[in-house]
Amino acid sequence: MHQAIQRANSQLHLTPPDRCNEDALIEMKGIVKTFKTAEGEFTALKGITTCFYPGEFVSIVGKSGSGKSTLVNMLTGIDHPTAGSVRVGDTYIHKLSENDMSRWRGRNLGIIFQFFQLMPTLTLLENVMLPMALCGSCGVTDRERRALELLRLVGLEDMANKLPAAVSGGQQQSAAIARALANDPPILIADEPTGNLDTHSADEVFKIFAGLIERGKTILMVTHDSGLARRTQRTLLLSDGELINPWVAHAFPNLTHSQMLWLTHNLRSQSIPPMASISSANGQSPGLWLVTGGQIEILTGNGSDKKSLIRVQPGEYIIALGNASNGHGALNLRANSDKPVEILTLEKPILDQWLRSNPDCLASLEAGSRLNLPSRREAL
């Protein structure tokens, strides 16, 4: 199961935060949520635009107060945005009445909570059957059979007739997952599903999730566990109610969330024509170039002596500090693609000023580069 999750990493939807592919299952566009408090207005979400795709396992990560729970409430329809829209399939969910919303939620979403929320006076079997009864799904005679199948799926068939208090926390969460699957929803939303579990139980829950992804489910998981988040196909980072650009988060995992957010605000999109050559001599080198589409080739030498030093793929970056050539002669960049190369850029003076104000960022950038792109750091 874990290997299947890892294989999917090569097909990540690292689209810019303001752009969705046509096959998106969920589209959040311009979501703003403002709360009125005794101290005044507080904006918990600040123009969130993002998408989720069929069969994805996405983790949503951020510090306490970053807006994770508010974002989940927008996805489930539990709360309404101050501005913006949420589309799931063909349905704009916040246009539904409360009754229609409840029916839609029961058939399309399975919600898993940190503290399980099982009915204490019902057996595990009865807890799993309850959503079927509430939504009127399955025939009455079929509900027990389906509930037993779901308990078998999560390894609890032998405990079907036990009350929640008679099983462990990990087993209660497994039962909660079975309950979330009762009406066969295409989407599961898990809010800190392992936050109340020990490491072994958390790992068992993750294995269940991985198996569900193989069955075609889409899972959105809010978690504070960075180790668990790294095992999902994609991670969304929230900071102060804003989404960090996923390309930034992917390329610079060693930066703090606030540093990533600064880059999100200051990097600028640029398109380079196919096979265009850009010289980095005479102080024209970029401060930071992050490739998001196509491929950049780094060349050394001049004229007929030019040699290909390295190719920079999507998700990789060039950072130029001091003398860009670094003893390799004049350094040149070329768009090595039959289509325009898409990049995010930060001008060198802005990068230098930021690094002077945040010297720890340089160490983080270099540490990450040595880990993932050692030859690039040696060259640049």
Side-chain angles (χ1 to χ4, degrees):
M1 293 181 186
H2 181 60
Q3 291 177 347
I5 292 294
Q6 292 301 314
R7 283 197 298 272
N9 283 336
S10 63
Q11 302 174 352
L12 296 182
H13 290 278
L14 288 175
T15 51
D18 59 348
R19 191 183 307 165
C20 287
N21 293 342
E22 293 180 357
D23 57 344
L25 174 62
I26 303 171
E27 180 182 24
M28 305 183 76
K29 184 177 292 186
I31 296 295
V32 175
K33 181 60 181 181
T34 300
F35 295 98
K36 293 182 178 180
T37 68
E39 291 76 23
E41 290 189 343
F42 168 71
T43 303
L45 298 176
K46 305 171 184 176
I48 299 292
T49 295
T50 192
C51 302
F52 304 96
Y53 297 84
E56 273 200 308
F57 190 177
V58 182
S59 52
I60 302 170
V61 177
K63 296 179 180 178
S64 178
S66 62
K68 301 189 302 298
S69 295
T70 306
L71 181 68
V72 167
N73 289 342
M74 298 298 112
L75 291 167
T76 60
I78 291 174
D79 201 355
H80 287 69
T82 305
S85 64
V86 178
R87 175 187 60 80
V88 181
D90 296 326
T91 303
Y92 286 86
I93 63 174
H94 293 106
K95 293 183 178 181
L96 299 174
S97 67
E98 289 302 319
N99 287 338
D100 287 343
M101 174 69 81
S102 296
R103 285 190 287 270
W104 176 87
R105 188 186 297 120
R107 289 177 169 80
N108 292 277
L109 298 182
I111 303 175
I112 303 160
F113 303 95
Q114 178 178 354
F115 294 101
F116 323 137
Q117 304 295 341
L118 297 173
M119 298 294 288
T121 58
L122 300 181
T123 65
L124 301 186
L125 179 66
E126 291 166 339
N127 267 282
V128 177
M129 292 171 61
L130 184 59
M132 303 181 213
L134 293 175
C135 286
S137 61
C138 293
V140 175
T141 57
D142 292 330
R143 289 172 188 165
E144 182 173 343
R145 176 188 54 78
R146 173 163 175 75
L148 283 171
E149 288 177 355
L150 292 172
L151 288 172
R152 184 182 305 117
L153 177 68
V154 298
L156 293 178
E157 182 183 16
D158 293 341
M159 300 183 181
N161 295 314
K162 290 188 176 182
L163 294 173
V167 301
S168 69
Q171 290 165 337
Q172 288 187 60
Q173 191 61 292
S174 295
I177 294 171
R179 179 186 58 186
L181 294 167
N183 293 315
D184 196 24
I187 302 165
L188 296 180
I189 295 181
D191 192 358
E192 296 283 6
T194 63
N196 207 36
L197 302 178
D198 58 55
T199 302
H200 174 74
S201 297
D203 192 59
E204 291 301 311
V205 167
F206 185 88
K207 289 178 180 178
I208 293 173
F209 284 159
L212 293 173
I213 291 295
E214 292 181 343
R215 291 169 174 257
K217 300 297 182 184
T218 299
I219 302 177
L220 314 180
M221 179 180 69
V222 173
T223 181
H224 68 280
D225 187 334
S226 58
L228 202 62
R230 284 192 293 269
R231 295 169 62 184
T232 63
Q233 295 171 5
R234 182 161 64 102
T235 298
L236 293 184
L237 291 180
L238 276 171
S239 179
D240 295 330
E242 297 183 71
L243 272 180
I244 292 168
N245 186 302
W247 287 105
V248 171
H250 178 73
F252 308 111
N254 294 316
L255 295 183
T256 67
H257 290 185
S258 60
Q259 290 165 351
M260 291 182 192
L261 189 59
W262 186 90
L263 284 174
T264 296
H265 289 162
N266 288 276
L267 285 167
R268 297 291 177 262
S269 297
Q270 184 176 339
S271 183
I272 304 174
M275 304 308 294
S277 180
I278 309 100
S279 174
S280 67
N282 302 320
Q284 297 178 3
S285 61
L288 174 63
W289 281 17
L290 171 58
V291 179
T292 62
Q295 180 178 263
I296 287 179
E297 190 173 29
I298 301 177
L299 307 173
T300 58
N302 294 299
S304 60
D305 293 331
K306 285 184 180 179
K307 296 180 180 180
S308 176
L309 178 65
I310 216 155
R311 292 177 178 178
V312 187
Q313 310 287 345
E316 299 177 346
Y317 63 88
I318 304 166
I319 182 168
L321 302 169
N323 182 358
S325 65
N326 198 27
H328 291 277
L331 186 65
N332 298 277
L333 308 176
R334 182 172 65 190
N336 186 20
S337 174
D338 58 356
K339 297 179 180 179
V341 174
E342 304 299 328
I343 57 174
L344 296 173
T345 69
L346 185 64
E347 295 180 3
K348 193 171 185 301
I350 298 175
L351 174 64
D352 290 343
Q353 182 179 1
W354 182 53
L355 291 176
R356 283 193 295 270
S357 301
N358 300 271
D360 59 309
C361 292
L362 177 57
S364 296
L365 290 174
E366 289 181 328
S369 296
R370 289 191 188 100
L371 175 63
N372 299 313
L373 307 169
S375 56
R376 286 161 179 72
R377 290 303 304 156
E378 291 169 5
L380 301 176

